[in-house]
Amino acid sequence: MHPLSPAAAAAMDFSQNSLFGYMEDLQELTIIERPVRRSLKTPEEIERLTVDEDLSDIERAVYLLSAGQDIQGTSVIANLPLLMRQNPAETLRRVLPKVRDALHVAGVEMQLTAAVSFLTILQDESVSVHTYAHSFLQVILLHLEHRDAGVSNAWLETLLSVIEVLPKDTLRHEILNPLVSKAQLSQTVQSRLVSCKILGKLTNKFDALAIKREILPLVKSLCQDVEYEVRSCMCRQLENIAQGIGTELTKSVVLPELIELSRDEGSSVRLAAFETLVNLLDIFDTDDRSQTILPVVKSFCEKSFKADESILISLSFHLGKLCHGLYGIFTPDQHLRFLEFYKKLCTLGLQQENGHNENQIPPQILEQEKKYISVRKNCAYNFPAMIVFVDPKNFHMELYSTFFCLCHDPEVPVRYTIAICFYEVSKLLNSGVYLIHKELITLLQDESLEVLDALIDHLPEILELMSTGGESSVQENKLSSLPDLVPALTAAEQRAAASLKWRTHEKLLQKYACLPQVISSDQIYYRFLQRMFTIMMTNNVLPVQKAASRTLCIFLRYNRKQEQRHEVIQKLIEQLGQGKSYWNRLRFLDTCEFIIEIFSKSFFCKYFFLPAIELTHDPVANVRMKLCYLLPKVKSTLKIPADKHLLQQLEMCVRKLLCQEKDKDVLAIVKRTVLELDRMEMSMDAEQLEKEKQQNDGRPMSDKTFEKKRRDSKTPTSLPKSLPIPVPGSSSATPSTSKEIKKSKLIRSQSFNNQAFHAKYGNLDKCTTSKSSTAAYTSSVSGLSKTSMISLTDDSFRTRNTNSAPSSFSSNASLPSTSRGTGNSVDPKSSGSKDTQPRKATLKSRKSNP
């Protein structure tokens, strides 16, 4: 035996001191568990909580509301919508009265639950509107003024939803008439606040005359309330009221109230008046804007820096809408003042010293800095509107320095917001987009992944504008204006890969698919393509691997250099399709699926068809299972009669899977796949069929005739190039094809029924459970190829050697064999798992980091 190392000896030190330490830890665990034991119910409590199981749902609800505990009553109220759907009549007759009684003394939790349940019953339409108003409306109105603000707001939200569906007569008698007394000064502040919100909702339910006669007097009274909370609340409802009464009444009634409230002594009231004016700018004409609203806005902006920072936050948020609504009525001097005011807000708080320690800053200063950050963030949000305000032609002189400051702001929320707006800014600048090239590189290199994530949402559109806008519109010179773009993109990807935010990494790889439209294929080949391979081979997150695979396929699609193309194809087949790790072989099948989607059918058949179907010999069940799911798409790439030999190969592989597969999960999927393949239609090559038809008739096709057929096949009014022909016995097939179909049926039928396979291909009696099941599925397999005759010779099942590669591979010595040269007899220790272990892996997507 080897002596223990000092580290191991220390780890196994069971001295008295260490044992005392273990005992202390156990005592702490005991203390933690004690409250849990105390919380267990006693037999008496369990007895009180027990209900007879023979009771119906209605009877149980009545019993629990009458004699149960609060938690049981709350549970009944939460299930009230379900009872209403099951038995509305009995619920209204027996349960609802008990609910009313329980709510009189209910706590906050039961009240909140009841408000939500009442709203759900309304939305479910379990009863008619008349029945709902008769049964539930009074309960809602009764609890509107609950002493708890949260409960009161919950019931108010329910009432506002009920107002949307109630008829006018019910609204007038049950809500509007009582509101006259509820809005009086003699009532509580809570009652008057509720009245303000109800009035704002009622204006959409009555005509303008009724609003003027019955609602507007109450509105004016609440706008003059002695409490600033009530005035502020009523002021925020004036927007809804203005939309209900029309333009004329708004100008004569609402606008004077807003002007007066904008001079209120309460800052919250002035803020509410300002925001309401901004939201109603579209209603007022030019005279009202220039003579009435503009002076109010100007005064508000001038006093904002002396007021609370919350005023600045609101002003900075609405500044873009304000400048848009007042555009055209500014004098040159006013225009310049508003622009300077915006620039000042963009740098608010940056002039202070930032070298101090945050722990030493007073709390009020920290709170002030947070508000300044919100102001600059709102300025970044409104930057596109300010470009329109100054005209994009004047961007460089007026706003570029401000844009530079926002892109280099020390706070992440500001840079995040300007990154979101970057695409809008690029569109507005149009030919002047080259002015912000450096800022694009800056944001791509930002240390915060949140900023990068916001920028890449529209990265393809931004790069397209960068490559085609302004003086750099010529394709050959598109890289000269962005010399740092490629390093910035590669650095951004590496930074995302090194983080735990795999969703950002996945999104970035997806957006990189636009690069062939922006940079040259050589740049992509040498700077990005190998990186995609590395991600596919080494990354541990499945969505990231798939994103890299799809982007690589797009890079390959736009690469026109045959040497580079062949090298990429060779790597895909050798390192993925023939890789030692089953995980790489699974990714190869994902790549095949993307190739079928992106490339032509002939490209897939030429390079990837045979390497893909050879995975039917894979020793890992998951690989074979994934291939079975892919087989219908693989078959869809074939055209008859040109790809007749590939269809034979596919049929042989499916037969092997059906007869030799020993994994029950894979076999079940194989059987379903066979049925799906049997139902598929095959694409017929119209030109090839015409050639064969004329050859069979003894009349060679002239070059002119063939060219005419080819041109006709491209026009939509003539025969299409590829005709979908139903596999099962199509009567429209050519005579020669029909003969082959019949002969193929006969041969396959005899082969399967007599079980006349050669002994070297395995004993079929051992791989089938019964003759009936074999006959059922072999008949399905026989439908895979209705257009070709398959000869069941020894070569049909023989594993292909390196000379069986596609023609394009044989012409290039650098391309690998299309055969992995491994069957089910391959040593599972070398290729039976992701690394080296042969255990069966799950087919489900690999768990990704959250």
Side-chain angles (χ1 to χ4, degrees), residues 49 60-80 83 95 98-99 102-103 106 109-111 113-114 117:
L49 293 173
R60 184 182 300 108
V62 172
Y63 173 78
L64 292 177
L65 288 171
S66 303
Q69 297 188 4
D70 287 345
I71 188 172
Q72 293 174 315
T74 303
S75 177
V76 171
I77 294 177
N79 290 325
L80 196 60
L83 294 176
V95 180
K98 296 294 182 182
V99 172
L103 289 177
E109 185 177 358
M110 186 179 290
Q111 288 275 355
T113 304
S117 293

Side-chain angles (χ1 to χ4, degrees), residues 216-477:
L216 286 184
L218 293 175
V219 171
K220 290 182 178 181
S221 174
L222 292 169
C223 284
Q224 304 298 326
D225 196 277
V226 295
E227 299 292 338
Y228 74 91
E229 298 102 322
V230 179
R231 299 196 302 272
S232 176
C233 183
M234 191 67 254
C235 183
R236 294 191 180 278
Q237 298 301 320
L238 291 179
E239 181 180 354
N240 294 331
I241 294 172
Q243 294 173 356
I245 62 178
T247 304
E248 294 301 324
L249 281 177
T250 299
K251 293 172 62 176
S252 61
V253 178
V254 175
L255 183 58
E257 293 293 336
L258 283 173
I259 299 302
E260 184 175 354
L261 291 170
S262 66
R263 305 188 185 100
D264 196 276
E265 60 184 9
S267 61
S268 62
V269 181
R270 295 196 304 271
L271 181 60
F274 170 76
E275 293 178 354
T276 304
L277 276 173
V278 173
N279 293 332
L280 292 177
L281 279 175
D282 294 337
I283 295 180
F284 304 116
D285 55 25
T286 305
D287 293 337
D288 291 326
R289 296 181 192 178
S290 59
Q291 299 175 8
T292 307
I293 299 177
L294 183 57
V296 173
V297 172
K298 181 180 177 182
S299 174
F300 190 82
C301 294
E302 291 174 351
K303 297 178 181 179
S304 59
F305 283 101
K306 302 177 183 179
D308 183 26
E309 286 81 7
S310 59
I311 301 291
L312 287 175
I313 294 176
S314 176
L315 180 58
S316 62
F317 181 76
H318 291 89
L319 197 59
K321 186 186 293 185
L322 183 64
C323 291
H324 176 73
L326 298 178
Y327 187 80
I329 66 173
F330 285 117
T331 64
D333 182 61
Q334 292 171 340
H335 189 280
L336 182 60
R337 286 187 179 182
F338 267 85
L339 182 59
E340 293 300 323
F341 178 75
Y342 172 76
K343 292 180 180 180
K344 189 175 181 180
L345 291 178
C346 288
T347 58
L348 187 65
L350 296 180
Q351 299 83 1
Q352 301 177 0
E353 294 292 334
N354 293 324
H356 45 252
N357 187 0
E358 291 187 359
N359 296 328
Q360 301 175 355
I361 304 176
Q364 60 271 20
I365 301 299
L366 283 176
E367 188 65 26
Q368 185 184 56
E369 288 186 357
K370 290 181 181 179
K371 292 181 179 180
Y372 288 162
I373 294 172
S374 298
V375 170
R376 301 200 302 273
K377 177 183 175 182
N378 291 338
C379 289
Y381 168 77
N382 283 303
F383 193 84
M386 298 308 298
I387 293 180
V388 177
F389 183 69
V390 301
D391 196 312
K393 296 179 181 178
N394 301 322
F395 169 79
H396 188 263
M397 295 292 296
E398 301 289 351
L399 284 177
Y400 174 74
S401 60
T402 303
F403 185 69
F404 178 87
C405 290
L406 292 173
C407 291
H408 292 81
D409 194 278
E411 300 298 332
V412 172
V414 181
R415 303 198 305 273
Y416 173 83
T417 307
I418 200 65
I420 292 177
C421 299
F422 199 95
Y423 174 52
E424 293 296 329
V425 173
S426 302
K427 286 196 302 183
L428 289 171
L429 293 181
N430 197 6
S431 60
V433 71
Y434 66 92
L435 294 171
I436 59 174
H437 285 176
K438 294 181 180 179
E439 283 64 41
L440 173 63
I441 304 301
T442 298
L443 294 177
L444 281 173
Q445 295 174 339
D446 197 281
E447 60 183 9
S448 171
L449 282 181
E450 295 179 7
V451 177
L452 178 63
D453 188 85
L455 182 67
I456 61 179
D457 282 335
H458 293 285
L459 185 62
E461 296 86 352
I462 293 172
L463 293 180
E464 182 181 0
L465 289 170
M466 291 287 182
S467 63
T468 60
E471 298 177 356
S472 59
S473 59
V474 181
Q475 292 293 323
E476 290 75 7
N477 298 329

Side-chain angles (χ1 to χ4, degrees), residues 72 195 362 384 397 411 508 524 554 624-625 729 763 840 848:
Q72 293 174 315
S195 300
M397 295 292 296
E411 300 298 332
L508 186 62
I524 293 175
I554 294 177
R624 303 194 300 275
M625 189 181 299
N763 189 354
K840 177 182 174 184
S848 304

Side-chain angles (χ1 to χ4, degrees), residues 469-486:
E471 298 177 356
S472 59
S473 59
V474 181
Q475 292 293 323
E476 290 75 7
N477 298 329
K478 60 186 177 182
L479 280 177
S480 61
S481 62
L482 297 170
D484 300 329
L485 176 62
V486 173

Side-chain angles (χ1 to χ4, degrees), residues 145 172-195 199 214 218 221-222 225:
E145 299 177 29
R172 179 175 279 106
H173 291 96
E174 300 294 339
I175 298 178
L176 183 56
N177 292 341
L179 206 62
V180 176
S181 61
K182 295 289 184 181
Q184 299 301 317
L185 287 175
S186 58
Q187 298 293 324
T188 62
V189 174
Q190 179 68 20
S191 176
R192 303 202 299 274
L193 289 174
V194 169
S195 300
L199 285 173
E214 301 180 43
L218 293 175
S221 174
L222 292 169
D225 196 277

